[in-house]
Amino acid sequence: MDKNKFYITTAIDYVNDTIHIGHAFQKIAADVLARYNRIILGKDNVFFLTGTDEYGQKAEKAAKTAGISPLEFVRKVSLSDRQQQDSLNISYDRFIETTDKDHTKVAQEIWKRVDKNDDIYTGEYTGLYCEGCEAYYDDSDLKNGKCSFHPNLKIKKITEENYFFKWSKYKDFLINHIKKNKDFIFPHERENEMLEFAKNIKDIPISRSNFTWGVPVPASPQGGPNDPKQVMYVWFDALTNYLTGVGFLEDKKLFAKFWPADIHILGKDNLRWHALLWPAILKSAEIELPKTILVNGFLNLNGQKISKSLGNIIRPTDWVKKYGADAVRYYLLRYTNLTNDSDISEEKLKQAYNADLANGLGNLVSRVAKLCETNDLSLEPQSKLKISDPIEKRIKEFRFNDALGVIQSAITLTNTSINEDEPWKLKGNKLQSSLEKQILRLRQIAVDIKPFLPQTAEKIEAQFKGPKIISAKPLFPRIT
């Protein structure tokens, strides 16, 4: 990570439907990293980008089914996505929509740069296409003739006149870059998967001609006006949002400050495009590559894939309304592994809420506050604390579950210390010393949980800043 700035992006979500709790998992993880780096670097040196991917055939078809224009449809879903993220206190600096005017300019500018480098040509594509991924595949990519990410969709065989990108030209560059830059793909075990795929890279169509909802292709390789028959392939357009987000054309200072991206966080289904296609496009356009592609695992709900067809979609707001944003954030970060697939359920969330938050942290805060209030404790001004080394180490290693495990141990240790000290039996300086020791531990816990549970951290800090400390409502009322 750069010592002076930090730029993190999430995948931008496709607007065929509002995001669910599985998508939100990635946004929460990115938010932890953004909040941590704001603490370390200052908020002006961190930029966090998220948003929606709004062009493509799926959006056009969905709009037609809904009986409204594509723009009206995608903006409706985008607003809903933003509301879902806001419910979880995702602290993005920009929520980009790929229908934004500045993004159209950037996508077309990158096309022109790639074209200028003689990396675009016209040709006919005949092959396999997954509408769910909006991606081209070979037979070898499929399992029993189906896309592994969209097994319920029929793979289409299409023939189109398109513009092609000379992806194969960058095969050796991509392989060498991955081998030489061990932090480029994380977790590292996914490197071999990408290296294997890179060996068989072929040129790829980067425009479509059988629908119109997309960024217009700016010109043919020979120059001229927009091609009226072609729109950009959605991946070529969508990937460039990471440049748009920090002002590639609109704000040169912002772009110079934050590019290259420090972390692109995305799901494993998007890895190929980010680790292989995106770097090739950037290399062709003569733009520096991002530093790390961080791949998050998928969440299953009650042992099943989360999908509309199964009817098991959970929106973030469904759980936030019942348990609060910080409780949902805690459960998803504490009881999953960021880079592996994990199984979640509302019953497990409720158990974690009552055991770890209501009976654990919440009870500890109430207990210490009541002791201070009963004994009329008055605090002297205290020095500012920093995130403890064990927590910092685990955040940098993307081990959020382990970091929260360390914090949970600190909560248990503090409760044990209170039982051993028995402050209710003490008086005078001994009582003051005992309570100040527990307050210091609570203040450290508040600092350590700030990237994970921002609202809870603020409440604890406010309650124990002194000089007088009084009881307050429980942070996490027990749920029966």
Side-chain angles (χ1 to χ4, degrees):
M1 294 181 186
D2 193 296
K3 292 183 179 179
N4 300 313
K5 66 89 180 178
F6 183 72
Y7 177 30
I8 185 167
T9 74
T10 72
I12 52 173
D13 295 294
Y14 201 71
V15 289
N16 58 317
D17 197 10
T18 303
I19 61 170
H20 56 63
I21 200 71
H23 302 113
F25 174 53
Q26 178 191 98
K27 317 310 176 191
I28 296 169
D31 190 60
V32 170
L33 292 168
R35 288 179 182 275
Y36 163 74
N37 278 281
R38 289 192 192 106
I39 293 169
I40 302 302
L41 303 174
K43 72 183 188 75
D44 292 338
N45 295 317
V46 173
F47 201 93
F48 175 11
L49 180 72
T50 189
T52 44
D53 180 5
E54 300 186 345
Y55 283 119
Q57 192 171 27
K58 280 193 296 184
E60 188 176 73
K61 283 188 173 182
K64 187 176 182 180
T65 301
I68 56 179
S69 71
L71 183 59
E72 186 180 356
F73 177 83
V74 300
R75 285 296 162 93
K76 187 176 180 179
V77 178
S78 180
L79 175 61
S80 179
D81 278 4
R82 192 186 302 232
Q83 291 168 341
Q84 293 297 325
Q85 291 208 39
D86 289 347
S87 75
L88 289 162
N89 290 317
I90 306 302
S91 60
Y92 51 83
D93 292 289
R94 177 173 177 180
F95 190 99
I96 194 169
E97 297 167 311
T98 55
T99 50
D100 290 344
K101 290 182 180 179
D102 62 336
H103 177 67
T104 297
K105 292 178 185 177
V106 170
Q108 291 183 327
E109 173 63 21
I110 297 304
W111 180 287
K112 291 173 185 176
R113 292 190 181 199
V114 173
D115 179 19
K116 187 178 179 181
N117 202 25
D118 196 31
D119 284 339
I120 294 177
Y121 62 94
T122 55
E124 183 178 270
Y125 174 79
T126 298
L128 305 176
Y129 186 78
C130 172
E131 265 191 18
C133 296
E134 300 247 23
Y136 302 99
Y137 288 119
D138 292 325
D139 282 316
S140 59
D141 297 317
L142 307 177
K143 293 182 179 179
N144 299 318
K146 299 284 188 179
C147 169
S148 58
F149 301 112
H150 300 93
N152 295 324
L153 293 180
K154 184 178 180 180
I155 292 293
K156 295 189 173 183
K157 189 171 184 178
I158 62 172
T159 299
E160 286 184 16
E161 288 285 338
N162 301 124
Y163 292 110
F164 281 70
F165 170 58
K166 294 180 182 178
W167 198 6
S168 61
K169 174 181 171 181
Y170 295 94
K171 180 191 303 184
D172 291 340
F173 163 76
L174 293 166
I175 290 171
N176 290 333
H177 184 77
I178 292 171
K179 287 181 176 179
K180 290 178 181 178
N181 296 274
K182 287 302 178 183
D183 290 332
F184 184 60
I185 299 175
F186 188 92
H188 301 301
E189 54 263 29
R190 294 205 173 269
E191 287 178 3
N192 289 336
E193 177 188 343
M194 290 300 100
L195 288 170
E196 195 62 32
F197 182 84
K199 294 176 185 176
N200 301 306
I201 282 177
K202 300 175 183 177
D203 293 353
I204 186 173
I206 54 169
S207 70
R208 299 294 308 277
S209 60
N210 64 349
F211 63 92
T212 59
W213 182 240
V215 176
V217 169
S220 72
Q222 291 74 37
N226 292 346
D227 189 323
K229 296 180 181 178
Q230 302 280 338
V231 294
M232 287 186 196
Y233 174 42
V234 69
W235 274 108
F236 191 98
D237 142 45
L239 288 164
T240 59
N241 94 89
Y242 304 130
L243 301 175
T244 309
V246 284
F248 177 63
L249 293 178
E250 304 290 322
D251 190 339
K252 295 292 185 181
K253 288 184 178 179
L254 185 72
F255 181 74
K257 180 174 182 176
F258 286 108
W259 191 263
D262 293 271
I263 292 177
H264 289 322
I265 181 171
L266 47 106
K268 58 187 178 180
D269 53 335
N270 293 330
L271 176 57
R272 180 183 303 181
W273 314 111
H274 285 78
L276 298 175
L277 180 60
W278 180 224
I281 292 171
L282 288 170
K283 181 68 174 175
S284 177
E286 299 181 348
I287 297 172
E288 192 173 352
L289 272 58
K291 295 180 180 179
T292 297
I293 310 296
L294 173 59
V295 187
N296 64 272
F298 287 170
L299 297 186
N300 294 320
L301 183 67
N302 297 311
Q304 290 184 306
K305 179 183 177 181
I306 303 173
S307 73
K308 187 186 288 188
S309 61
L310 291 173
N312 64 348
I313 297 291
I314 298 289
R315 308 292 180 203
T317 49
D318 294 338
W319 281 359
V320 169
K321 286 173 184 175
K322 291 183 183 180
Y323 305 98
D326 275 6
V328 177
R329 289 169 66 107
Y330 174 82
Y331 170 63
L332 293 180
L333 293 167
R334 175 72 177 93
Y335 291 99
T336 64
N337 183 312
L338 178 61
T339 56
N340 293 339
D341 292 352
S342 302
D343 190 63
I344 62 171
S345 72
E346 186 170 0
E347 184 57 34
K348 292 175 184 175
L349 165 57
K350 186 176 177 180
Q351 291 171 2
Y353 178 98
N354 282 330
D356 297 354
L357 299 176
N359 295 344
L361 179 59
N363 182 61
L364 174 61
V365 168
S366 295
R367 189 181 188 191
V368 174
K370 188 64 177 177
L371 283 167
C372 292
E373 183 181 54
T374 301
N375 292 283
D376 196 26
L377 181 74
S378 183
L379 281 178
E380 296 293 328
Q382 298 182 35
S383 59
K384 189 175 181 180
L385 300 172
K386 71 178 189 70
I387 292 177
S388 60
D389 290 342
I391 302 303
E392 194 164 33
K393 180 178 184 293
R394 285 161 175 80
I395 289 176
K396 288 180 178 179
E397 294 172 348
F398 313 121
R399 293 161 53 201
F400 301 150
N401 54 342
D402 289 343
L404 285 168
V406 171
I407 293 170
Q408 193 62 40
S409 295
I411 292 168
T412 301
L413 180 66
T414 305
N415 264 318
T416 300
S417 178
I418 293 172
N419 293 338
E420 291 173 350
D421 283 3
E422 298 183 315
W424 49 89
K425 294 182 180 180
L426 303 176
K427 293 183 180 180
N429 290 337
K430 289 184 177 181
L431 173 61
Q432 181 85 13
S433 177
S434 175
L435 292 178
E436 285 181 351
K437 178 175 66 176
Q438 312 311 337
I439 290 168
L440 179 61
R441 285 177 169 161
L442 264 180
R443 289 178 65 236
Q444 184 64 59
I445 288 169
V447 170
D448 286 345
I449 66 167
K450 194 171 288 187
F452 307 97
L453 313 183
Q455 289 180 322
T456 301
E458 287 178 8
K459 289 176 182 178
I460 296 172
E461 287 181 332
Q463 190 166 7
F464 290 96
K465 69 179 181 180
K468 292 294 183 181
I469 298 169
I470 58 173
S471 297
K473 292 181 180 178
L475 291 175
F476 300 98
R478 186 172 174 79
I479 294 175
T480 55

